Amino acid sequence: MEPPATAQDGEDRSLPGSRLVLDLRDLRAGMLAQVGGKAANLGELLAAGLPVPEGFCLTTGAYRMATGGPDALLPELAALHAALRPDRAPAVQGQAAAGPDIPALAARARAAVASAPLPPEVRAAVGHAYATLGPDVPVAVRSSATAEDLPFASFAGQQDTYLNVVGAAAVIEAVRNCWASLWTDRATTYRAGLDINPAGVALAVVVQRMVEVETAGVLFTANPVTGRRKEAVIDASPGLGEAVVSGAVNPDHFVLDAVTGRVLERRPGDKRIAVVALPGGGTRTVEAAAGNGFCLTDRQAAELARLGLAAERHFGAPQDIEWAVSRGGELWLTQSRPITTLYPVPRRGDGAPGTRAFLCFSLAQGLTRPITPMGRAAIRLIAASVARTARFTLPDPRQGPPAYAEPGQRIFVDFTVPIRSAAGRWILPRVFDVMEARSAAVMRRLMDDPAFSVTQRTPLGLLRRILPVAVRARVPEGILRGFFRPRAALRRLDRFRRDYEAALELERGAGARPGAGGAPGGAPSSAPSGRDRLAHAEGLLQNRLFAIIPAILPLAALGFAMLGVAGKLLGGNRWSDLQPVLRGLPNNVTTDMDLELWRLAAAIRNDAQSRAVFAGQDSAALAAAYRDGNLPPRLEAGLARFLDRYGHRAVAEIDVGMPRWADDPTHILGVLANYLRLDDPGLAPDVQFSNAAEAAEAQVERLVAEAGRRGRIRGVLMRAVLRRARLFAGLRELPKYQLVLGLAEVRRQLQHVGSALAEAGVLADPADIFFLDFDEAGRAVDVLDGGNPGAGPELRVLVEARRAEYSRELGRRHIPRVLLSDGTEPEAAQRSTELRAEGTLVGSPASAGTVTGVARVILDPVGAHLEPGEILVAPSTDPGWTPLFLTAGGLVMEMGGANSHGAVVAREYGIPAVVGVPDATTRIIPGQQITVDGGSGTIVPAPPSAPPGTAPLPGA
């Protein structure tokens, strides 16, 4: 078969029935609604001068004509549209409701489309256009949906393709089948998961002359595994590309430098089968000839990489390309779409040269979800406060420090400078060993990379940044006081906390105490203006909130340092003996909060009226009753007291855009319902905590006695350091608690502004304020003040776009811990095996003990249900998750280290925990019996004879 001819410039390309049919060469990206993503991208490839087989596109107008259009839609499609049409979702909360029966609705829609009469105009247009390609020419008939090959969703393989179709009648039948494939279960569910309105989806069909294929496959212009840009990856196999795309064959694999064309890696596939075109139409799968050679030469691979790089430059983003090599050796591109799985590349604000390494601060905080625009704006201001204190130059605090970046709506920090200094290499991995162990492992691997060799061998640069912060916060004085006068240190800390909270209240001027976290209301008679509220919120973020961290953190660090001293006194690595000392710690605000919630549950259990409402209503209904003041008196009063003290907390609470518990107590009411199912008095959390504290004190006495046998002074010193460890280690939770207290005040002020803007019609909803930043919120307030009236519509459009972007990011499951400035993810590029034995998952030990039980995989704690004794498997946890720990038999987390929030609380409750387990939420099956060994850091499938729920006593 000859390669398809291309039209000469100026040639008349009009086609009969052109209202319904367009030549591929006339298509552009702006015609998405008319021709769909696949066809539009083919037109762009042709516009870039790249080789694409000739053909035409049957537009979405033909599909709408065949299915009745918006005014006379097929009844089955109308029912599906009505069931799946997304309402305006509460994107900030990220909550999902139970969906309709998609497979049944989709099946009826498919059958209706496949059997609908074909309009004569469509039949004629396809016949005329097909005839222009030649008599009975073999063609490929491909679906091209309007929701397809998009920058945020590829929809790869969601609709059907038919190869080697011969004859006008066969082409028309393939078109009808393509239309029906728009409503396959997989395509319908995929779109529903992205909240794409089904009423706005339509299908065009691409018809292209078939190339007589010798070899075909797929080309990625960036490495989809490691994320490395400018590294082309090619999979190739003999015959049509369907074998590679469908995964039916193990193809030849090439990795190339896309710029130079140099082959970096080649790996032969077995290529046992091939999909070939049959004479007269259709395809067949045949056994391929045996042989170990490659079906693509290095020269052909380099030329493909060059074509791919040209396509990437044209589209402005890495591409996933299908290609073919004809029997004459010509290279053809048959499809191009964005690679939607690549994580966005981080960019420094100052464009610092060279390869940079960025650490995901979001993951270090146990946060996998994206952060709202206003949440990121707030964090930028706090980060600017930190940088300013460390004497960095900041052109604009609202943009954050130069080392700050926000790829994928998460927080990343450039740590290239510290990882290239001797002091930073010593400090950073050790900090992350107890904070987020997998990040520490990635850091250590980076140290072997020549791109990150040491350039700063003295600690002078680090000291120049840290000393001003330490001196300003009087850190040396605080540490000395903590060691020699620990009770006095705690009293001083308590005074500092009171002053901090009073300052928030004083600066606010009126209203509820800062811990209440409630929605706007109770404003003073002379309420501040919107501009005053924005200024107050910015002032807190820039000048007040960071001060709490260096004031508290040194005492917590002193507590953990004392454990290190105790280890030295004992001699050798004695972590397994020291870990029980950290159970049942005093001065832990998160533990205090969880136990307060348990006491509320006990009060509910003892009140028949309160107990009855939990038996008859779900958490959402109870939350609505609370807002209306219709709960039983004891429950109403107890919940109000809890929220008055802890209502400023939330899941993902570092994001001011996330509702606080006082805004929506649904989550807390759900946790209370879980607590009420715990009917074993011995497993009551307050009993568990008391037992854990007693066991810890007993362990202190044992270690003191052991040290005393080696000398009286050693024993006295051991008692002193362990007492200080217990006294101060629980303060690890306090800095964040106080920070979130301030963030709750910032949120409250923004809620007032959002309510005023919504009431004036500037914004559609009060919560829209969290999808602006401070500059944009200021422009919105200008409208309230009578200026810039045109800003309102512009801001509403901006908010809608950001809500959509945020909703898409909520679906991203994989977040890299460390990301290089060229897009490389070091953990993926250097991943080693993580199985010690068949079926065993390995992480970091976090809380000693062994438990066998049923795994409950929970991705979001809001509304989660956890039966007593079940093992909680989560991507990460922050204090908003910890109320679930009180009924958990064990804990497994994908993120975290020995001193992350989840590990600290798990130890205090005495539940076995393993953290930093790669892909735990996907590799552990919900309902599976597993055994968690918190001492060795392993999770294994439970043996059949193991009794479920065999947890150790706290301190065992």
Side-chain angles (χ1 to χ4, degrees):
M1 183 182 297
E2 292 297 321
T6 57
Q8 302 297 316
D9 289 343
E11 181 181 342
D12 182 7
R13 295 195 294 257
S14 61
L15 293 170
S18 59
R19 184 169 64 89
L20 299 173
V21 172
L22 296 172
D23 191 291
L24 291 182
R25 290 166 290 183
D26 295 327
L27 308 185
R28 296 294 181 270
M31 302 170 68
L32 181 69
Q34 189 177 4
V35 300
K38 185 183 281 91
N41 288 351
L42 288 172
E44 288 291 338
L45 289 175
L46 284 163
L50 295 170
V52 173
E54 68 173 335
F56 62 89
C57 175
L58 183 66
T59 68
T60 57
Y63 168 82
R64 291 194 168 95
M65 183 182 293
T67 57
D71 298 325
L73 204 60
L74 291 171
E76 293 82 0
L77 276 179
L80 184 59
H81 289 191
L84 296 182
R85 182 179 180 89
D87 295 320
R88 194 170 189 273
V92 177
Q93 299 182 43
Q95 297 175 353
D101 184 355
I102 292 178
L105 291 169
R108 289 197 291 270
R110 275 197 310 280
V113 172
S115 61
L118 195 69
E121 303 97 317
V122 173
R123 187 181 297 274
V126 172
H128 288 305
Y130 175 68
T132 64
L133 298 177
D136 288 337
V137 61
V139 293
V141 181
R142 295 186 167 98
S143 303
S144 180
T146 53
E148 181 179 69
D149 293 355
L150 305 177
F152 61 88
S154 70
F155 289 86
Q158 297 300 313
Q159 283 83 222
D160 288 348
T161 288
Y162 298 90
L163 301 177
N164 199 39
V165 180
V166 178
V171 170
I172 289 170
E173 185 61 24
V175 165
R176 188 194 295 273
N177 290 335
C178 285
W179 285 343
S181 74
L182 184 62
W183 303 108
T184 59
D185 294 354
R186 63 180 184 270
T188 308
T189 303
Y190 190 90
R191 289 191 298 268
L194 290 171
D195 282 342
I196 293 175
N197 188 346
V201 176
L203 194 90
V205 179
V206 172
V207 179
Q208 284 179 283
R209 181 192 290 266
M210 284 283 292
V211 174
E212 192 171 355
V213 175
E214 182 175 79
T215 304
V218 177
L219 157 69
F220 293 93
T221 66
N223 194 315
V225 175
T226 67
R228 188 170 290 138
R229 271 59 166 181
K230 308 307 180 191
E231 191 172 86
V233 177
I234 299 173
D235 285 339
S237 190
L240 299 174
E242 177 65 18
V244 176
V245 174
S246 66
V249 67
N250 185 16
D252 291 342
H253 182 77
F254 298 82
V255 179
L256 299 91
D257 183 314
V259 177
T260 65
R262 183 168 63 92
V263 176
L264 306 175
E265 176 189 344
R266 66 173 67 80
R267 185 173 65 246
D270 53 40
K271 306 182 293 293
R272 294 177 181 175
I273 63 169
V275 178
V276 298
L278 296 174
T283 62
R284 184 176 66 182
T285 300
V286 299
E287 290 190 10
N292 296 322
F294 290 91
C295 62
L296 199 65
T297 67
D298 284 2
R299 182 174 180 178
Q300 288 173 319
E303 178 61 13
L304 276 174
R306 185 191 68 79
L307 292 175
L309 188 59
E312 177 180 309
R313 287 170 177 161
H314 180 78
F315 286 107
Q319 297 291 298
D320 167 2
I321 297 171
E322 294 180 22
W323 55 269
V325 179
S326 72
R327 296 195 186 281
E330 295 88 355
L331 273 60
W332 298 94
L333 307 185
T334 59
Q335 184 170 314
S336 186
R337 63 169 71 94
I339 305 176
T340 58
T341 56
L342 291 174
Y343 200 85
V345 175
R347 306 289 184 195
R348 275 181 62 104
D350 60 355
T355 303
R356 318 294 300 184
F358 291 82
L359 174 74
C360 186
F361 179 79
S362 290
L363 279 186
Q365 288 293 306
L367 187 61
T368 57
R369 63 183 297 137
I371 300 177
T372 59
M374 186 61 80
R376 299 197 304 275
I379 294 173
R380 285 197 297 271
L381 288 171
I382 297 173
S385 173
V386 177
R388 187 173 60 247
T389 306
R391 298 183 178 176
F392 284 95
T393 301
L394 293 177
D396 182 1
R398 285 182 173 178
Q399 297 305 312
Y404 177 95
E406 297 177 352
Q409 301 182 28
R410 278 87 176 175
I411 306 305
F412 283 77
V413 179
D414 183 349
F415 70 109
T416 308
V417 171
I419 207 69
R420 301 196 71 176
S421 74
R425 286 185 170 214
W426 190 88
I427 295 171
L428 271 183
R430 286 170 171 80
V431 170
F432 277 85
D433 279 337
V434 295
M435 185 178 179
E436 217 293 298
R438 287 174 63 189
S439 295
V442 179
M443 289 177 184
R444 289 188 171 96
R445 287 199 292 267
L446 274 184
M447 294 177 189
D448 297 328
D449 189 334
F452 298 100
S453 58
V454 173
T455 57
Q456 182 68 42
R457 301 195 176 277
T458 70
L460 295 179
L462 180 64
L463 292 174
R464 185 164 59 91
R465 302 300 183 188
I466 290 179
L467 285 179
V469 181
V471 170
R472 182 174 175 180
R474 301 168 68 180
V475 169
E477 175 188 343
I479 291 176
L480 290 173
R481 182 183 291 106
F483 186 80
F484 291 105
R485 301 179 61 206
R487 297 293 176 184
L490 287 177
R491 288 194 296 271
R492 179 177 180 271
L493 177 58
D494 189 55
R495 287 194 300 272
F496 187 93
R497 288 180 60 190
R498 290 198 303 269
D499 292 343
Y500 172 83
E501 295 183 24
L504 293 179
E505 188 168 349
L506 178 64
E507 287 172 319
R508 184 170 70 252
R513 68 182 300 277
S525 56
S526 55
S529 68
R531 194 161 302 284
D532 291 338
R533 293 187 185 281
L534 287 178
H536 173 56
E538 279 202 85
L540 289 177
L541 294 165
Q542 290 197 63
N543 306 315
R544 180 66 62 182
L545 268 60
F546 171 63
I548 198 71
I549 307 296
I552 300 174
L553 200 56
L555 282 181
L558 176 63
F560 285 99
M562 291 297 95
L563 279 185
V565 174
K568 297 292 185 183
L569 291 173
L570 291 171
N573 183 5
R574 300 290 296 274
W575 172 243
S576 61
D577 293 320
L578 290 168
Q579 191 187 60
V581 174
L582 298 179
R583 290 185 168 172
L585 288 172
N587 303 316
N588 187 317
V589 289
T590 301
T591 304
D592 292 342
M593 176 188 73
D594 294 343
L595 291 175
E596 180 70 22
L597 193 60
W598 169 254
R599 284 188 284 271
L600 175 56
I604 293 169
R605 190 188 301 273
N606 294 328
D607 179 62
Q609 191 178 7
S610 298
R611 198 169 59 247
V613 299
F614 274 93
Q617 299 184 63
D618 62 19
S619 301
L622 290 172
Y626 173 72
R627 285 189 289 268
D628 295 337
N630 293 330
L631 289 180
R634 181 171 294 188
L635 174 56
E636 182 100 26
L639 184 58
R641 283 193 302 272
F642 179 84
L643 294 177
D644 180 63
R645 184 172 181 184
Y646 297 110
H648 65 283
R649 307 220 72 167
V651 175
E653 59 195 358
I654 66 169
D655 182 356
V656 298
M658 290 297 293
R660 311 289 111 170
W661 289 340
D663 295 329
D664 181 3
T666 302
H667 172 53
I668 292 300
L669 288 161
V671 173
L672 286 171
N674 281 339
Y675 288 179
L676 293 175
R677 284 190 285 270
L678 185 62
D679 53 11
D680 185 344
L683 296 179
D686 51 351
V687 174
Q688 294 268 50
F689 184 79
S690 177
N691 290 342
E694 290 177 8
E697 292 294 344
Q699 182 71 355
V700 168
E701 295 303 322
R702 282 193 290 271
L703 295 176
V704 168
E706 179 183 338
R709 287 193 290 271
R710 301 172 63 183
R712 182 173 176 275
I713 294 178
R714 187 183 291 262
V716 170
L717 188 56
M718 176 66 80
R719 183 180 299 278
V721 298
L722 290 182
R723 291 295 180 200
R724 283 156 180 77
R726 283 191 54 76
L727 200 60
F728 295 136
L731 295 175
R732 180 243 187 271
E733 298 289 296
L734 188 57
K736 186 177 181 182
Y737 178 93
Q738 296 294 117
L739 180 67
V740 171
L741 198 65
L743 289 174
E745 174 61 18
V746 171
R747 176 178 170 83
R748 185 179 1 264
Q749 297 299 334
L750 292 170
Q751 283 179 299
H752 279 290
V753 176
S755 294
L757 291 170
E759 185 177 347
V762 180
L763 297 179
D765 185 273
D768 286 350
I769 189 71
F770 298 111
F771 288 87
L772 303 175
D773 60 23
F774 281 100
D775 284 327
E776 294 150 357
R779 294 210 309 271
V781 170
D782 285 342
V783 181
L784 288 181
D785 295 340
N788 196 13
E794 172 191 331
L795 290 171
R796 286 194 293 275
V797 170
L798 178 63
V799 165
E800 286 302 315
R802 288 202 178 143
R803 279 186 176 273
E805 293 168 4
Y806 179 86
S807 181
R808 288 193 291 268
E809 279 297 331
L810 279 172
R812 190 188 294 274
R813 287 296 309 276
H814 176 68
I815 315 299
R817 280 165 173 73
V818 173
L819 196 58
L820 304 188
S821 52
D822 66 351
T824 301
E825 185 183 340
E827 188 175 29
Q830 305 173 21
R831 193 180 305 277
S832 61
T833 178
E834 292 161 326
L835 295 181
R836 292 181 186 170
E838 185 65 29
T840 300
L841 303 184
V842 179
S844 298
S847 180
T850 302
V851 61
T852 297
V854 173
R856 174 78 69 170
V857 178
I858 297 178
L859 304 180
D860 187 338
V862 178
H865 175 77
L866 187 70
E867 290 290 344
E870 288 184 329
I871 296 172
L872 171 61
V873 182
S876 64
T877 62
D878 63 11
W881 286 74
T882 57
L884 292 172
F885 289 19
L886 292 181
T887 55
L891 172 69
V892 177
M893 288 171 24
E894 291 182 337
M895 271 75 73
N899 195 27
S900 57
H901 289 284
V904 169
V905 178
R907 282 197 297 270
E908 295 196 2
Y909 293 160
I911 61 174
V914 180
V915 301
V917 182
D919 305 319
T921 60
T922 55
R923 295 164 71 180
I924 295 176
I925 302 169
Q928 179 183 15
Q929 285 274 333
I930 60 173
T931 296
V932 176
D933 186 335
S936 66
T938 60
I939 302 99
V940 297
S945 59
T950 52
L953 291 174

